[in-house]
Amino acid sequence: MSLIIFMGISFLNAQERVPEVEELLKKMTLEEKIGQLNLLTPGGGVATGSVVSEDVETKIKEGNVGGVFGVSSPEKVRQAQKLAVENSRLGIPLLIGSDVIHGYKTTFPIPLGLSSSWDMDLIKETAQIAAKEATADGINWNFSPMVDIARDPRWGRIAEGAGEDPYLGSQVAKAMVEGYQGDDFTAPNTMIATVKHLALYGASEAGRDYNSVDMSKIKMFNEYLPPYKAAVDAGVASAMTSFNDIHGVPASGNKWLITDLFRERWGFEGFVVSDYTSVNEMIAHGMGDLQDVSALAINAGLDMDMVGEGFTTLKKSVEEGKVSEEQITKAARRILEAKHKLGLLDDPYLYSDESRPEKDILSEENRAVARKAAKRSFVLLKKHENTLPLAKDAKIALVGPLANNKNNMLGTWAPTGNPQLSVPVMEGIKNVAPNAEISYAKGANISNDTTFAKNVNVFGPRIEISEETPEAMIEEALQVSKDADVIVAVVGEATEMSGEAASRTNLNIPDSQKKLIRELVKTGKPVVLILMSGRPLVISEEMEMPVSILQVWHPGVEAGNAIADVLFGDYNPSGKLTATWPRNVGQIPIYYRMKTTGRPAASPSEFQKFKSNYLDVENTPQLPFGYGLSYTNFEYGETKASSDKLSENGSITITTTVTNTGDFDGEEVVQLYTHDKVRSITPPMKELKAFKKISLKKGETKEVSFELTAEDLKFYNADLEFVVEPGEFEFFVAGSSDHEFTNEFTVEE
């Protein structure tokens, strides 16, 4: 038998078939094959569109449903499977899907936060726990990971990905796929992962969700596609198409994307599902009526239609010669092979063990990992004097609309989590520092704009506007601050200010909170800003203030405990930014891998006419990719290469030393960047090629080495060939991308 092997998971190649699946296909009518291609929801979960499927039970019994989502618990999943297995003609079980984006009931930090840990083992562990919990509740198919590269923080879904860099994004994609799927699909605690959104969704124009994408193939292959390819190489068993168009054709009907690239060039052997009603939405794109767009999708290689039920037109398209039955058979085969891989054809009730939820979901062990993941995701953006860490017996004025707020701890896209089980900041401080004296005031609303609040509060109360006047709230905050040693202000975004359909043009901290911060600073007391958000914000004003700033994203179910761990020094923050923070919205898109121009700016901070710069602000970002401070300090020694020449089949070792010169034990993310000085297509100014997260005791020095090969330097040229070209390369090793190159080597012919 011929197999394709990815990370221990076997996939039958196109010449090999599963006997059980082939026997089923022989028995199936055209209508039953089409039925396997329909994914419906009874509306029990969070819908991301206006459509909810009707009469799902009857459709399951008639064999017209291949999978459902919005159904959970062993009992309900058993009922759904029983409808399919015992009432339909062929008794084919269902795929049970769900959006398990950053944890199931145990909610971890948002993915952008998790990526800021730069800890792939930890990210993999969070995915393993998510799979364990979701499968305990009957779910066998996960609509995650989202691997879209995003360089425009106006786009709310930047919160769901790993940021701006294709190399780091690829490492995160691999870790999450391996975490969800494990090495045995038939194990009761693993599930099918879905890489999404295929493709380029993070580059939507103007940062507006669902918008068009227009991009050259060179940019696609070098900058945006690598994480999807990494997921395929890791053995991901499912993919989801995106809402945007590519080369003028919407992704769900794009044959070049689904078949030519994903299947034929990359060798993907799993199945492809549309995003929520994206097949139907091709009508609005201008691609024809429902029958037209459904035929376009199936002929492009799409296997399953999420919610829209446009594939019910396929029988008519077959009769009219617009679609071949063989194309429908191919799609049905892929769905049935996925069910075979999961073991559902042998045991439809594999995921219906009623003893599992109590022991596997929201356990103390799982919450401990959530706490660890949260504190490792935090990024110290600014430290002022010696304010942090705080003494555990300090008098603390705790203020801000997010300081004692459970509704905004989990973050966007946490539909399976319960906000009321989260630990708010005030509770966490009391848990970690019971001897601290805390005085609390809300101080401000997240926003005073009632229309904005209404738009945000679609899934429940995220922005609650107090009956008190804004002035009275600030005055109360100033009163509780009078006798405090330090003011801790918890500010930023509500959870649904980022995420899907949450694009923003103003990335400042809302005015209501900015006014509070200004007044707190005027007191002259030490101020710590705990900043929550699902995206990079514009904080140029706050960075100029005499304050310390700790970015905590939306930390998940253990939010308050993790924040307190870092505030009081039980854990020294070690996170690094995975997306660049702009000085203002006008700089967007801004990212570290930008290319130079023929007229590069002479100085990043000095304006010069007829050079590539702005009249009103310097080119540099507020905070660069890879940036993050610590309570301690790290000093880098001399960087050396084992050779100044690299052959096609050889390698060089790049070595540096890192010393902890401060007063605390800590962790540092050591980063290697290169620059191809001359290339057949214009190169980026810098490219991340490797990183290691190391721990250093106070005063300790460690040697850090990276092995670099010619393979690591490859790129897609103008003919989309994956090549390395001979020539000179620069490199440096540092704690962020914001450094000059220090060394060179040559790649030999």
Side-chain angles (χ1 to χ4, degrees):
M1 180 180 288
S2 177
L3 296 173
I4 299 171
I5 307 292
F6 295 122
M7 300 306 296
I9 300 176
S10 304
F11 292 82
L12 290 157
N13 72 15
Q15 284 72 47
E16 301 291 338
R17 298 300 178 207
V18 179
E20 299 96 316
V21 169
E22 296 309 306
E23 286 301 312
L24 270 175
L25 287 170
K26 289 176 185 176
K27 299 175 185 177
M28 295 172 78
T29 64
L30 175 60
E31 290 88 347
E32 286 169 328
K33 291 175 184 176
I34 293 170
Q36 287 299 302
L37 314 186
N38 286 320
L39 174 63
L40 304 184
T41 178
V46 173
T48 62
S50 59
V51 178
V52 174
S53 310
E54 296 179 355
D55 204 10
V56 176
E57 182 175 331
T58 299
K59 290 171 183 174
I60 292 173
K61 289 179 179 180
E62 292 173 349
N64 291 327
V65 181
V68 296
F69 66 101
V71 176
S72 62
S73 86
E75 181 183 9
K76 290 180 181 178
V77 168
R78 181 177 287 274
Q79 290 171 356
Q81 294 290 27
K82 192 172 182 180
L83 287 173
V85 173
E86 298 185 14
N87 292 277
S88 68
R89 187 178 77 90
L90 294 175
I92 301 172
L94 302 164
L95 291 171
I96 308 293
S98 183
D99 284 290
V100 185
I101 307 302
H102 49 110
Y104 186 61
K105 298 292 187 183
T106 301
T107 310
F108 300 105
I110 59 170
L112 186 61
L114 278 176
S115 72
S116 300
S117 72
W118 296 61
D119 187 332
M120 299 306 113
D121 290 338
L122 177 62
I123 291 171
K124 181 177 178 179
E125 185 180 14
T126 65
Q128 288 171 327
I129 291 172
K132 182 179 180 180
E133 291 197 349
T135 56
D137 236 1
I139 295 158
N140 52 46
W141 175 25
N142 187 11
F143 308 147
S144 173
M146 193 204 90
V147 303
D148 299 314
I149 295 297
R151 293 169 172 176
D152 189 336
R154 293 174 299 178
W155 188 58
R157 300 195 81 167
I158 194 172
E160 288 181 58
E164 71 183 46
D165 183 63
Y167 175 77
L168 179 66
S170 295
Q171 303 308 306
V172 173
K174 175 176 178 285
M176 296 194 74
V177 169
E178 292 177 359
Y180 291 137
Q181 295 189 166
D183 56 8
D184 181 5
F185 277 121
T186 63
N189 61 347
T190 62
M191 64 198 309
I192 283 178
T194 303
V195 61
K196 67 181 190 184
H197 304 83
L198 190 66
L200 318 179
Y201 187 28
S204 58
E205 290 182 349
R208 196 174 76 240
D209 216 348
Y210 316 121
N211 207 2
S212 183
V213 171
D214 192 6
M215 186 184 297
S216 70
K217 284 187 178 178
I218 285 179
K219 190 164 190 175
M220 281 184 207
F221 276 78
N222 285 310
E223 303 286 329
Y224 281 81
L225 293 179
Y228 308 106
K229 176 66 161 55
V232 171
D233 291 345
V236 73
S238 175
M240 182 184 293
T241 54
S242 53
F243 291 110
N244 54 279
D245 62 333
I246 298 159
H247 297 148
V249 181
S252 294
N254 196 307
K255 185 175 183 293
W256 174 84
L257 177 71
I258 299 171
T259 297
D260 298 350
L261 175 68
F262 215 57
R263 296 195 190 283
E264 295 179 1
R265 181 162 183 154
W266 290 354
F268 175 68
E269 290 289 335
F271 69 98
V272 180
V273 63
S274 75
D275 207 335
Y276 205 112
T277 65
S278 66
V279 171
N280 310 58
E281 291 165 25
M282 288 195 287
I283 300 170
H285 276 283
M287 306 303 289
D289 62 19
L290 185 60
Q291 184 182 352
D292 292 332
V293 298
S294 299
L296 182 67
I298 195 74
N299 286 329
L302 189 77
D303 300 310
M304 187 173 251
D305 174 17
M306 183 186 288
V307 178
E309 298 186 72
F311 279 7
T312 57
T313 66
L314 291 180
K315 182 180 179 183
K316 184 179 179 184
S317 291
V318 171
E319 293 168 349
E320 294 175 355
K322 296 176 180 177
V323 172
S324 70
E325 183 169 352
E326 176 56 27
Q327 191 68 25
I328 293 169
T329 301
K330 284 181 182 179
R333 178 181 287 117
R334 292 178 185 128
I335 303 302
L336 293 173
E337 285 178 350
K339 295 176 181 183
H340 169 77
K341 289 168 191 169
L342 286 168
L344 291 173
L345 297 185
D346 295 323
D347 181 4
Y349 306 109
L350 180 64
Y351 298 89
S352 298
D353 182 348
E354 294 184 16
S355 70
R356 286 190 60 196
E358 185 176 355
K359 62 184 179 181
D360 287 349
I361 295 177
L362 268 172
S363 66
E364 288 301 313
E365 294 81 4
N366 293 355
R367 290 191 74 130
V369 176
R371 184 170 180 170
K372 177 174 73 170
K375 61 191 178 187
R376 291 177 74 81
S377 73
F378 301 162
V379 184
L380 184 60
L381 302 182
K382 186 170 186 279
K383 51 184 181 180
H384 181 69
E385 297 179 340
N386 295 312
T387 303
L388 291 173
L390 303 181
K392 288 191 175 179
D393 59 354
K395 293 181 179 178
I396 299 169
L398 181 64
V399 302
L402 294 165
N404 190 29
N405 183 319
K406 290 187 174 186
N407 286 335
N408 287 293
M409 297 300 102
L410 299 189
T412 185
W413 261 123
T416 53
N418 181 353
Q420 298 314 307
L421 297 179
S422 66
V423 180
V425 180
M426 185 158 72
E427 183 180 330
I429 289 175
K430 291 177 179 178
N431 292 339
V432 172
N435 294 326
E437 186 178 318
I438 303 169
S439 52
Y440 164 75
K442 183 177 178 182
N445 299 310
I446 293 174
S447 171
N448 293 331
D449 186 331
T450 55
T451 300
F452 182 68
K454 180 182 177 182
N455 293 343
V456 169
N457 291 344
V458 173
F459 295 142
R462 303 295 187 257
I463 297 178
E464 298 180 271
I465 298 179
S466 174
E467 293 182 0
E468 285 188 89
T469 66
E471 294 75 17
M473 295 173 73
I474 289 177
E475 181 57 33
E476 184 182 3
L478 295 176
Q479 286 297 320
V480 302
S481 300
K482 279 187 174 179
D483 296 325
D485 300 324
V486 62
I487 300 168
V488 175
V490 190
V491 296
E493 289 190 316
T495 59
E496 302 310 321
M497 285 170 65
S498 56
E500 185 168 358
S503 300
R504 291 179 63 198
T505 60
N506 183 344
L507 300 185
N508 295 328
I509 297 170
D511 286 344
S512 56
Q513 299 178 68
K514 288 178 80 72
K515 291 175 182 177
L516 170 64
I517 295 167
R518 292 176 190 132
E519 293 303 314
L520 295 175
V521 169
K522 287 179 184 177
T523 66
K525 292 182 180 289
V527 175
V528 177
L529 300 184
I530 304 296
L531 186 57
M532 289 189 184
S533 72
R535 52 158 57 89
L537 297 176
V538 172
I539 56 169
S540 52
E541 179 184 0
E542 290 75 20
M543 287 294 289
E544 293 297 319
M545 293 177 172
V547 299
S548 298
I549 306 176
L550 180 68
Q551 170 67 18
V552 299
W553 314 106
H554 288 115
V557 70
E558 284 289 313
N561 287 332
I563 289 169
D565 286 339
V566 173
L567 268 180
F568 295 102
D570 289 350
Y571 181 77
N572 187 349
S574 63
K576 301 274 189 174
L577 298 179
T578 58
T580 300
W581 287 45
R583 295 182 182 275
N584 59 41
V585 173
Q587 283 187 314
I588 295 169
I590 184 169
Y591 49 96
Y592 90 91
R593 281 178 60 123
M594 297 181 87
K595 296 183 178 185
T596 187
T597 74
R599 295 187 177 187
S603 164
S605 57
E606 184 178 336
F607 175 79
Q608 187 174 352
K609 195 69 173 176
F610 305 118
K611 296 293 185 179
S612 183
N613 43 210
Y614 298 103
L615 287 169
D616 57 346
V617 70
E618 63 185 71
N619 286 359
T620 59
Q622 185 73 60
L623 298 167
F625 175 86
Y627 171 90
L629 303 176
S630 168
Y631 294 156
T632 193
N633 298 303
F634 298 103
E635 184 176 302
Y636 283 72
E638 184 181 1
T639 298
K640 299 178 180 179
S642 59
S643 173
D644 62 359
K645 290 181 172 55
L646 175 60
S647 64
E648 182 180 352
N649 298 316
S651 67
I652 60 173
T653 301
I654 295 171
T655 305
T656 194
T657 58
V658 184
T659 302
N660 182 343
T661 60
D663 297 327
F664 299 87
D665 298 343
E667 293 168 289
E668 171 72 338
V669 180
V670 185
Q671 304 160 45
L672 168 65
Y673 294 85
T674 66
H675 172 232
D676 192 346
K677 294 178 73 174
V678 177
R679 184 184 276 188
S680 60
I681 60 171
T682 52
M685 289 189 282
K686 299 172 184 177
E687 295 179 86
L688 177 70
K689 291 298 178 183
F691 59 87
K692 288 183 180 177
K693 191 163 190 174
I694 62 171
S695 59
L696 291 167
K697 299 287 186 184
K698 180 174 64 174
E700 183 181 9
T701 298
K702 280 187 178 178
E703 185 176 86
V704 181
S705 296
F706 301 99
E707 185 179 23
L708 197 63
T709 68
E711 186 73 20
D712 298 319
L713 302 173
K714 285 186 172 181
F715 67 98
Y716 290 93
N717 65 16
D719 296 320
L720 298 184
E721 299 165 327
F722 196 47
V723 299
V724 60
E725 295 175 347
E728 293 182 350
F729 286 75
E730 301 173 297
F731 68 92
F732 68 82
V733 178
S736 83
S737 64
D738 187 25
H739 281 264
E740 299 297 321
F741 289 101
T742 58
N743 303 69
E744 292 189 0
F745 63 86
T746 300
V747 173
E748 298 179 313
E749 297 213 30

